[in-house]
Amino acid sequence: MHKYLNEDITLALVGLTYTTYFSFAVNQDEHENPMHKDFFYETFENLTPSLLYQNMITIISNHVLSIIKLVEAGLDTSARALIRVLAETVFIFIIIFSSKDHFVNYCNGMNDDDASTVWYRFFSHKKTQVELKKIEKRIGLPEEIVSEINKIRTSIYKEFSSVVHSSAYTSILGSYAFDFNKDQLQIGVGGKASKASKASKNTLSTLNWLLFYFSIMTKGILTNLFEFKPRSDNEMWRVVFPIRECFIELYLKITYKDEYESISTRIT
C-alpha cells in the first residue's frame, strides 16, 4: 500500500509534525504566547486562550495521526468519517484562534446543551464558511484564492458528511475496497487498502489539503493579525516555523507541480 501512497503519507506526516510542535509552542509558561493584545489576558473560568488552543491543536494532531493509521490499515471509510470531524475542528479552531469574541462564545459551551446552542448560534456550517472567508481576506489572501478555497471547503463538507450521515449508497460503497492489482471491488471486512486512484488516495489528498489550509491560515493569523514575533531564545517556536514552511512548500510543489511558482507567490 505504501508503494502507491508513499508521497501522500510522507506529506501528511510532515503536516502532523507541524501540528504536534505547534500544540506545544502555543502554550508556554515562560514565554509570551501569540494571541493579540486584546485577548492575551482573557480567561473563561480559568481557561486561557493559550490552553484552549493547545487542547484543540492536540485534538487536531491526534485526528491526523488516526486518519493516517486508519488508511494504512485499510480502513478507509472510517478514515473518511474522521476527515469530516477533523475538517470541522480545523475550521472552528481558525475562527476562535483569530477572535476574542469567538473565543468567549466557544467557551460558553461547557456542557452538552450549551455546546449545542453555541454551535447552532455561532459555528454552524453556513456561519463558519462566512466567517472563514472574512478571515482569509483579513490575512491578505487574494480574492481568487479565497473563492477557490471556499469551493474546496464546500466540496469537502458535502462529500465527507455523506459518510457520517449514513445512507444506503454510502454503506454499500464504504464496505468495499478497490483492489490495487485488479480492477474490481472486494469486500473490505477487517480492513483492506484501496487502489490509490479510487479511495485512499482521495482521503489522504483531502487530509493534506486540510493540513495545508490549517498551515497557511495559522501563519496568516500569527503574522498579519497578531504580528507575532517569538523571542529569539524560544527554541520551540524556532522549530515550529521552519517545519510549517517546509510543509507548505512541499504541499505546493507536490500538488501544483506545473503552477508552483505562480501559486506560491499568491499564497505565501
Side-chain angles (χ1 to χ4, degrees), residues 32-47:
E32 182 177 346
N33 293 314
M35 278 61 64
H36 197 275
K37 293 177 182 177
D38 68 346
F39 66 113
F40 181 75
Y41 294 108
E42 186 75 37
T43 60
F44 188 94
E45 296 181 0
N46 296 321
L47 177 65

Side-chain angles (χ1 to χ4, degrees), residues 17-53:
T17 305
Y18 168 56
T19 61
T20 301
Y21 275 97
F22 189 23
S23 69
F24 291 119
V26 80
N27 184 33
Q28 300 181 67
D29 292 336
E30 298 180 0
H31 292 271
E32 182 177 346
N33 293 314
M35 278 61 64
H36 197 275
K37 293 177 182 177
D38 68 346
F39 66 113
F40 181 75
Y41 294 108
E42 186 75 37
T43 60
F44 188 94
E45 296 181 0
N46 296 321
L47 177 65
T48 64
S50 296
L51 179 57
L52 176 63
Y53 298 151

Side-chain angles (χ1 to χ4, degrees), residues 56 59-64 67 78-96 106 119 123-125 128-129 132 136 149-162 164 203 205-215 217:
M56 292 191 73
I59 293 296
I60 288 170
S61 292
N62 289 342
H63 285 340
V64 171
I67 290 165
S78 299
R80 288 168 64 80
L82 194 50
I83 284 277
R84 169 63 176 78
V85 178
L86 172 65
E88 182 162 309
T89 307
V90 166
F91 298 157
I92 291 176
F93 171 80
I94 289 167
I95 292 171
I96 68 168
Y106 190 73
W119 187 89
F123 302 107
S124 65
H125 173 59
T128 297
Q129 301 312 300
L132 287 172
E136 289 156 9
I149 285 174
N150 185 57
K151 291 177 184 176
I152 295 172
R153 279 202 316 267
T154 301
S155 175
I156 289 173
Y157 194 89
K158 181 179 180 181
E159 177 181 352
F160 290 88
S161 290
S162 69
V164 176
T203 302
S205 294
T206 304
L207 171 62
N208 283 325
W209 186 88
L210 288 169
L211 283 166
F212 173 69
Y213 184 69
F214 179 83
S215 299
M217 292 301 289

Side-chain angles (χ1 to χ4, degrees), residues 159-179:
E159 177 181 352
F160 290 88
S161 290
S162 69
V163 181
V164 176
H165 305 302
S166 184
S167 63
Y169 87 92
T170 57
S171 295
I172 293 169
L173 291 176
S175 65
Y176 287 93
F178 288 86
D179 191 273

